[in-house]
Amino acid sequence: MSEGRVLAAVAAGGAAGSLGRWLVSLAAGGAVWGTLLVNVSGALALGLVVARLEHGEHHPLLRPFAAVGLLGGWTTYSTFALDGRTLAGEALPSLLGYLAATLVLGLLGALAGLLLGERLWGGSAPQAAAITEEEL
């Protein structure tokens, strides 16, 4: 597969994911909880994508488009960090709740996606779910 096609798939996915995240932030009125929603839903979706990639045939551009581009554009660590700074100025319980919710719900979302994917596509738990350099 040509490097150009892979780059185009990542770019197209990234554009779609970033636009989706922006729309969620507009709908949330700039509230930090919109960032929590996109990060947790992104973790769930990535678990599903990884589980799907572990089983059966798939298009070779699925991982670059969905995992790297779409979900990379959808989720956002930088906004999470800025939201944490904003909450730190308001109240410590709000900050700690937001940080804990993001971490715990993100991990649970990814696990739920993997488990749901295993139910949908069968097999045992993914052994090599990490993105390798060759797949980028």
Side-chain angles (χ1 to χ4, degrees), residues 49 52 54 59 66 69 71 75 79 82 103 116-117 124:
V49 168
R52 175 64 185 106
E54 291 293 319
H59 194 281
L71 296 174
T75 59
T79 303
L82 288 177
L103 178 63
L116 179 59
S124 60

Side-chain angles (χ1 to χ4, degrees), residues 39-91:
N39 286 337
V40 172
S41 64
L44 173 71
L46 186 58
L48 283 167
V49 168
V50 166
R52 175 64 185 106
L53 292 171
E54 291 293 319
H55 303 289
E57 295 294 317
H58 59 275
H59 194 281
L61 293 176
L62 178 60
R63 185 178 290 246
F65 173 80
V68 179
L70 182 67
L71 296 174
W74 177 252
T75 59
T76 173
Y77 184 81
S78 57
T79 303
F80 163 69
L82 288 177
D83 289 347
R85 183 178 182 271
T86 299
L87 288 173
E90 294 176 12

Side-chain angles (χ1 to χ4, degrees), residues 22 28-29 32 36 43 50 62 72 76 89 91 99 117 119-120 125 127 129 134:
W22 180 68
V32 299
L36 177 66
V50 166
L62 178 60
T76 173
L99 296 176
R119 286 198 152 219
L120 291 172
Q127 300 298 316
E134 294 82 30

